[in-house]
PDB file of all heavy atoms in Angstrom:
ATOM      1  N   SER A 208     -22.573 234.477  75.710  1.00  0.00           N
ATOM      2  CA  SER A 208     -24.003 234.788  75.714  1.00  0.00           C
ATOM      3  C   SER A 208     -24.767 233.527  75.313  1.00  0.00           C
ATOM      4  O   SER A 208     -24.182 232.569  74.831  1.00  0.00           O
ATOM      5  CB  SER A 208     -24.316 235.942  74.750  1.00  0.00           C
ATOM      6  OG  SER A 208     -23.961 235.597  73.434  1.00  0.00           O
ATOM      7  N   GLY A 209     -26.074 233.567  75.530  1.00  0.00           N
ATOM      8  CA  GLY A 209     -26.918 232.422  75.176  1.00  0.00           C
ATOM      9  C   GLY A 209     -27.275 231.587  76.388  1.00  0.00           C
ATOM     10  O   GLY A 209     -26.859 231.885  77.510  1.00  0.00           O
ATOM     11  N   PRO A 210     -28.029 230.513  76.171  1.00  0.00           N
ATOM     12  CA  PRO A 210     -28.556 229.714  77.282  1.00  0.00           C
ATOM     13  C   PRO A 210     -27.479 229.006  78.115  1.00  0.00           C
ATOM     14  O   PRO A 210     -27.684 228.761  79.291  1.00  0.00           O
ATOM     15  CB  PRO A 210     -29.476 228.702  76.603  1.00  0.00           C
ATOM     16  CG  PRO A 210     -29.078 228.694  75.166  1.00  0.00           C
ATOM     17  CD  PRO A 210     -28.481 230.036  74.869  1.00  0.00           C
ATOM     18  N   ASP A 211     -26.342 228.700  77.517  1.00  0.00           N
ATOM     19  CA  ASP A 211     -25.278 228.003  78.247  1.00  0.00           C
ATOM     20  C   ASP A 211     -24.117 228.936  78.578  1.00  0.00           C
ATOM     21  O   ASP A 211     -22.985 228.483  78.770  1.00  0.00           O
ATOM     22  CB  ASP A 211     -24.772 226.806  77.426  1.00  0.00           C
ATOM     23  CG  ASP A 211     -25.856 225.781  77.200  1.00  0.00           C
ATOM     24  OD1 ASP A 211     -26.663 225.557  78.136  1.00  0.00           O
ATOM     25  OD2 ASP A 211     -25.923 225.228  76.086  1.00  0.00           O
ATOM     26  N   ALA A 212     -24.391 230.228  78.619  1.00  0.00           N
ATOM     27  CA  ALA A 212     -23.333 231.217  78.827  1.00  0.00           C
ATOM     28  C   ALA A 212     -22.777 231.162  80.243  1.00  0.00           C
ATOM     29  O   ALA A 212     -23.446 230.763  81.196  1.00  0.00           O
ATOM     30  CB  ALA A 212     -23.865 232.616  78.552  1.00  0.00           C
ATOM     31  N   VAL A 213     -21.549 231.600  80.358  1.00  0.00           N
ATOM     32  CA  VAL A 213     -20.876 231.774  81.630  1.00  0.00           C
ATOM     33  C   VAL A 213     -21.628 232.866  82.418  1.00  0.00           C
ATOM     34  O   VAL A 213     -22.391 233.638  81.824  1.00  0.00           O
ATOM     35  CB  VAL A 213     -19.393 232.137  81.359  1.00  0.00           C
ATOM     36  CG1 VAL A 213     -19.243 233.508  80.747  1.00  0.00           C
ATOM     37  CG2 VAL A 213     -18.550 232.005  82.578  1.00  0.00           C
ATOM     38  N   ILE A 214     -21.444 232.941  83.726  1.00  0.00           N
ATOM     39  CA  ILE A 214     -22.125 233.970  84.536  1.00  0.00           C
ATOM     40  C   ILE A 214     -21.789 235.376  84.025  1.00  0.00           C
ATOM     41  O   ILE A 214     -20.735 235.605  83.435  1.00  0.00           O
ATOM     42  CB  ILE A 214     -21.796 233.836  86.043  1.00  0.00           C
ATOM     43  CG1 ILE A 214     -20.296 233.951  86.307  1.00  0.00           C
ATOM     44  CG2 ILE A 214     -22.398 232.567  86.624  1.00  0.00           C
ATOM     45  CD1 ILE A 214     -19.925 234.016  87.781  1.00  0.00           C
ATOM     46  N   ASP A 215     -22.687 236.316  84.288  1.00  0.00           N
ATOM     47  CA  ASP A 215     -22.557 237.682  83.778  1.00  0.00           C
ATOM     48  C   ASP A 215     -21.219 238.335  84.135  1.00  0.00           C
ATOM     49  O   ASP A 215     -20.627 239.014  83.308  1.00  0.00           O
ATOM     50  CB  ASP A 215     -23.700 238.559  84.298  1.00  0.00           C
ATOM     51  CG  ASP A 215     -25.053 238.173  83.719  1.00  0.00           C
ATOM     52  OD1 ASP A 215     -25.102 237.382  82.758  1.00  0.00           O
ATOM     53  OD2 ASP A 215     -26.068 238.679  84.238  1.00  0.00           O
ATOM     54  N   GLY A 216     -20.763 238.156  85.364  1.00  0.00           N
ATOM     55  CA  GLY A 216     -19.503 238.775  85.781  1.00  0.00           C
ATOM     56  C   GLY A 216     -18.323 238.278  84.974  1.00  0.00           C
ATOM     57  O   GLY A 216     -17.442 239.061  84.594  1.00  0.00           O
ATOM     58  N   CYS A 217     -18.290 236.996  84.684  1.00  0.00           N
ATOM     59  CA  CYS A 217     -17.195 236.437  83.865  1.00  0.00           C
ATOM     60  C   CYS A 217     -17.324 236.907  82.419  1.00  0.00           C
ATOM     61  O   CYS A 217     -16.316 237.242  81.785  1.00  0.00           O
ATOM     62  CB  CYS A 217     -17.188 234.916  83.938  1.00  0.00           C
ATOM     63  SG  CYS A 217     -16.633 234.290  85.540  1.00  0.00           S
ATOM     64  N   ALA A 218     -18.536 236.941  81.889  1.00  0.00           N
ATOM     65  CA  ALA A 218     -18.740 237.414  80.516  1.00  0.00           C
ATOM     66  C   ALA A 218     -18.281 238.861  80.384  1.00  0.00           C
ATOM     67  O   ALA A 218     -17.607 239.228  79.415  1.00  0.00           O
ATOM     68  CB  ALA A 218     -20.201 237.265  80.111  1.00  0.00           C
ATOM     69  N   GLU A 219     -18.627 239.693  81.371  1.00  0.00           N
ATOM     70  CA  GLU A 219     -18.211 241.101  81.349  1.00  0.00           C
ATOM     71  C   GLU A 219     -16.689 241.209  81.388  1.00  0.00           C
ATOM     72  O   GLU A 219     -16.083 241.936  80.593  1.00  0.00           O
ATOM     73  CB  GLU A 219     -18.824 241.846  82.534  1.00  0.00           C
ATOM     74  CG  GLU A 219     -18.431 243.306  82.586  1.00  0.00           C
ATOM     75  CD  GLU A 219     -18.973 244.064  83.788  1.00  0.00           C
ATOM     76  OE1 GLU A 219     -19.856 243.539  84.507  1.00  0.00           O
ATOM     77  OE2 GLU A 219     -18.498 245.195  84.019  1.00  0.00           O
ATOM     78  N   ALA A 220     -16.066 240.486  82.295  1.00  0.00           N
ATOM     79  CA  ALA A 220     -14.604 240.549  82.438  1.00  0.00           C
ATOM     80  C   ALA A 220     -13.900 240.074  81.174  1.00  0.00           C
ATOM     81  O   ALA A 220     -12.941 240.709  80.710  1.00  0.00           O
ATOM     82  CB  ALA A 220     -14.155 239.702  83.627  1.00  0.00           C
ATOM     83  N   LEU A 221     -14.369 238.974  80.611  1.00  0.00           N
ATOM     84  CA  LEU A 221     -13.715 238.420  79.421  1.00  0.00           C
ATOM     85  C   LEU A 221     -13.734 239.401  78.250  1.00  0.00           C
ATOM     86  O   LEU A 221     -12.794 239.442  77.461  1.00  0.00           O
ATOM     87  CB  LEU A 221     -14.344 237.080  79.041  1.00  0.00           C
ATOM     88  CG  LEU A 221     -13.889 235.931  79.944  1.00  0.00           C
ATOM     89  CD1 LEU A 221     -14.884 234.787  79.921  1.00  0.00           C
ATOM     90  CD2 LEU A 221     -12.495 235.456  79.540  1.00  0.00           C
ATOM     91  N   GLN A 222     -14.762 240.226  78.162  1.00  0.00           N
ATOM     92  CA  GLN A 222     -14.833 241.212  77.082  1.00  0.00           C
ATOM     93  C   GLN A 222     -13.897 242.399  77.310  1.00  0.00           C
ATOM     94  O   GLN A 222     -13.687 243.207  76.402  1.00  0.00           O
ATOM     95  CB  GLN A 222     -16.273 241.679  76.890  1.00  0.00           C
ATOM     96  CG  GLN A 222     -17.151 240.572  76.331  1.00  0.00           C
ATOM     97  CD  GLN A 222     -18.595 240.963  76.295  1.00  0.00           C
ATOM     98  OE1 GLN A 222     -18.987 241.777  75.465  1.00  0.00           O
ATOM     99  NE2 GLN A 222     -19.394 240.396  77.190  1.00  0.00           N
ATOM    100  N   LEU A 223     -13.313 242.498  78.486  1.00  0.00           N
ATOM    101  CA  LEU A 223     -12.309 243.534  78.785  1.00  0.00           C
ATOM    102  C   LEU A 223     -10.892 243.029  78.529  1.00  0.00           C
ATOM    103  O   LEU A 223      -9.947 243.809  78.539  1.00  0.00           O
ATOM    104  CB  LEU A 223     -12.404 243.956  80.265  1.00  0.00           C
ATOM    105  CG  LEU A 223     -13.724 244.530  80.754  1.00  0.00           C
ATOM    106  CD1 LEU A 223     -13.697 244.685  82.273  1.00  0.00           C
ATOM    107  CD2 LEU A 223     -14.003 245.858  80.074  1.00  0.00           C
ATOM    108  N   MET A 224     -10.753 241.714  78.345  1.00  0.00           N
ATOM    109  CA  MET A 224      -9.446 241.057  78.322  1.00  0.00           C
ATOM    110  C   MET A 224      -8.952 240.789  76.901  1.00  0.00           C
ATOM    111  O   MET A 224      -9.537 239.983  76.199  1.00  0.00           O
ATOM    112  CB  MET A 224      -9.532 239.707  79.050  1.00  0.00           C
ATOM    113  CG  MET A 224      -9.900 239.798  80.510  1.00  0.00           C
ATOM    114  SD  MET A 224     -10.171 238.160  81.270  1.00  0.00           S
ATOM    115  CE  MET A 224      -8.535 237.433  81.180  1.00  0.00           C
ATOM    116  N   PRO A 225      -7.849 241.437  76.493  1.00  0.00           N
ATOM    117  CA  PRO A 225      -7.246 241.010  75.233  1.00  0.00           C
ATOM    118  C   PRO A 225      -6.800 239.547  75.370  1.00  0.00           C
ATOM    119  O   PRO A 225      -6.370 239.122  76.441  1.00  0.00           O
ATOM    120  CB  PRO A 225      -6.034 241.922  75.075  1.00  0.00           C
ATOM    121  CG  PRO A 225      -6.302 243.091  75.971  1.00  0.00           C
ATOM    122  CD  PRO A 225      -7.139 242.548  77.099  1.00  0.00           C
ATOM    123  N   THR A 226      -6.926 238.774  74.305  1.00  0.00           N
ATOM    124  CA  THR A 226      -6.505 237.379  74.335  1.00  0.00           C
ATOM    125  C   THR A 226      -5.049 237.295  74.804  1.00  0.00           C
ATOM    126  O   THR A 226      -4.215 238.085  74.379  1.00  0.00           O
ATOM    127  CB  THR A 226      -6.680 236.747  72.938  1.00  0.00           C
ATOM    128  OG1 THR A 226      -8.051 236.886  72.564  1.00  0.00           O
ATOM    129  CG2 THR A 226      -6.310 235.276  72.944  1.00  0.00           C
ATOM    130  N   GLY A 227      -4.786 236.359  75.709  1.00  0.00           N
ATOM    131  CA  GLY A 227      -3.464 236.219  76.309  1.00  0.00           C
ATOM    132  C   GLY A 227      -3.376 236.863  77.681  1.00  0.00           C
ATOM    133  O   GLY A 227      -2.370 236.729  78.367  1.00  0.00           O
ATOM    134  N   SER A 228      -4.450 237.536  78.108  1.00  0.00           N
ATOM    135  CA  SER A 228      -4.457 238.214  79.407  1.00  0.00           C
ATOM    136  C   SER A 228      -4.759 237.256  80.550  1.00  0.00           C
ATOM    137  O   SER A 228      -5.397 236.219  80.361  1.00  0.00           O
ATOM    138  CB  SER A 228      -5.523 239.319  79.427  1.00  0.00           C
ATOM    139  OG  SER A 228      -5.215 240.350  78.518  1.00  0.00           O
ATOM    140  N   LEU A 229      -4.312 237.648  81.725  1.00  0.00           N
ATOM    141  CA  LEU A 229      -4.608 236.950  82.974  1.00  0.00           C
ATOM    142  C   LEU A 229      -5.176 237.992  83.927  1.00  0.00           C
ATOM    143  O   LEU A 229      -4.512 238.990  84.222  1.00  0.00           O
ATOM    144  CB  LEU A 229      -3.326 236.334  83.554  1.00  0.00           C
ATOM    145  CG  LEU A 229      -3.462 235.570  84.870  1.00  0.00           C
ATOM    146  CD1 LEU A 229      -4.249 234.276  84.667  1.00  0.00           C
ATOM    147  CD2 LEU A 229      -2.079 235.257  85.436  1.00  0.00           C
ATOM    148  N   TYR A 230      -6.424 237.801  84.363  1.00  0.00           N
ATOM    149  CA  TYR A 230      -7.099 238.727  85.272  1.00  0.00           C
ATOM    150  C   TYR A 230      -7.553 237.984  86.515  1.00  0.00           C
ATOM    151  O   TYR A 230      -7.890 236.807  86.466  1.00  0.00           O
ATOM    152  CB  TYR A 230      -8.366 239.318  84.636  1.00  0.00           C
ATOM    153  CG  TYR A 230      -8.188 240.463  83.670  1.00  0.00           C
ATOM    154  CD1 TYR A 230      -7.041 240.620  82.896  1.00  0.00           C
ATOM    155  CD2 TYR A 230      -9.210 241.383  83.500  1.00  0.00           C
ATOM    156  CE1 TYR A 230      -6.923 241.677  81.999  1.00  0.00           C
ATOM    157  CE2 TYR A 230      -9.111 242.430  82.603  1.00  0.00           C
ATOM    158  CZ  TYR A 230      -7.958 242.576  81.854  1.00  0.00           C
ATOM    159  OH  TYR A 230      -7.849 243.620  80.962  1.00  0.00           O
ATOM    160  N   ARG A 231      -7.603 238.732  87.610  1.00  0.00           N
ATOM    161  CA  ARG A 231      -8.262 238.270  88.834  1.00  0.00           C
ATOM    162  C   ARG A 231      -9.515 239.113  88.946  1.00  0.00           C
ATOM    163  O   ARG A 231      -9.437 240.336  88.942  1.00  0.00           O
ATOM    164  CB  ARG A 231      -7.367 238.493  90.047  1.00  0.00           C
ATOM    165  CG  ARG A 231      -8.046 238.136  91.374  1.00  0.00           C
ATOM    166  CD  ARG A 231      -7.100 238.517  92.534  1.00  0.00           C
ATOM    167  NE  ARG A 231      -7.703 238.268  93.824  1.00  0.00           N
ATOM    168  CZ  ARG A 231      -8.406 239.175  94.517  1.00  0.00           C
ATOM    169  NH1 ARG A 231      -8.614 240.393  94.029  1.00  0.00           N
ATOM    170  NH2 ARG A 231      -8.903 238.861  95.696  1.00  0.00           N
ATOM    171  N   ILE A 232     -10.670 238.464  89.009  1.00  0.00           N
ATOM    172  CA  ILE A 232     -11.922 239.203  89.091  1.00  0.00           C
ATOM    173  C   ILE A 232     -12.671 238.839  90.371  1.00  0.00           C
ATOM    174  O   ILE A 232     -12.544 237.731  90.885  1.00  0.00           O
ATOM    175  CB  ILE A 232     -12.812 238.982  87.855  1.00  0.00           C
ATOM    176  CG1 ILE A 232     -13.346 237.548  87.778  1.00  0.00           C
ATOM    177  CG2 ILE A 232     -12.063 239.346  86.569  1.00  0.00           C
ATOM    178  CD1 ILE A 232     -14.426 237.332  86.722  1.00  0.00           C
TER     179      ILE A 232
END
């Protein structure tokens, strides 16, 4: 989040991912 945040879709996906996960979005 914030002014230099990653795009919304990546931010949403990353919050679904336990650390150590590999996702294709």
Side-chain angles (χ1 to χ4, degrees):
S208 61
D211 297 322
V213 69
I214 59 172
D215 292 348
C217 288
E219 180 183 348
L221 283 158
Q222 291 173 73
L223 301 171
M224 298 173 65
T226 302
S228 295
L229 180 69
Y230 280 29
R231 175 185 177 268
I232 68 170

